[in-house]
């Protein structure tokens, strides 16, 4: 019996789900309570993320071209997230 590749996100490993998010919008919650929304460009095994078109959410909005985030400082990744409502 041949194994069939599943596209159900609930059956993917965490890094597989992040890999499927490359090129799409992602909402990132950091440990210091900062929230960032941008387009995921890539990542490595330690979950260092390269994100472009950044718009940190909150009271002060700053637009950045590109940023590299340390995986140790990331609390949550939300694929397709648009960030919190202000």
């Amino acid at each position: 019996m041949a194994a069939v590749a599943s596209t159900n996100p609930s059956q993917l490993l965490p890094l597989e789900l992040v890999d499927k998010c490359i090129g799409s919008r992602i909402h990132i919650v950091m440990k210091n309570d900062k929230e960032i929304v941008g387009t995921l460009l890539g990542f490595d095994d330690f979950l260092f993320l390269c994100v472009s078109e950044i718009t940190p959410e909150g009271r002060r909005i700053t637009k950045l071209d590109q940023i590299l985030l340390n995986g140790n400082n990331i609390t949550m990744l939300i694929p397709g997230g648009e960030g919190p409502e202000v």
Side-chain angles (χ1 to χ4, degrees):
M1 185 174 217
V4 177
S6 174
T7 58
N8 184 352
S10 65
Q11 296 178 353
L12 294 174
L13 295 173
L15 291 180
E16 289 177 321
L17 182 59
V18 176
D19 187 50
K20 290 190 176 290
C21 294
I22 292 177
S24 62
R25 300 289 287 174
I26 192 163
H27 176 192
I28 304 165
V29 179
M30 305 296 288
K31 283 185 180 177
N32 61 2
D33 294 330
K34 290 190 179 182
E35 299 184 20
I36 298 170
V37 176
T39 302
L40 181 62
L41 297 178
F43 70 98
D44 67 4
D45 291 339
F46 300 102
L47 213 58
F48 280 79
L49 301 180
C50 184
V51 183
S52 70
E53 300 172 19
I54 310 299
T55 306
E57 297 294 331
R59 294 183 182 186
R60 193 172 99 191
I61 295 176
T62 306
K63 294 198 179 231
L64 304 171
D65 290 334
Q66 196 172 44
I67 191 170
L68 177 66
L69 300 172
N70 185 337
N72 289 330
N73 295 323
I74 296 172
T75 301
M76 184 173 23
L77 297 172
I78 305 165
E82 291 300 321
E85 294 179 17
V86 179

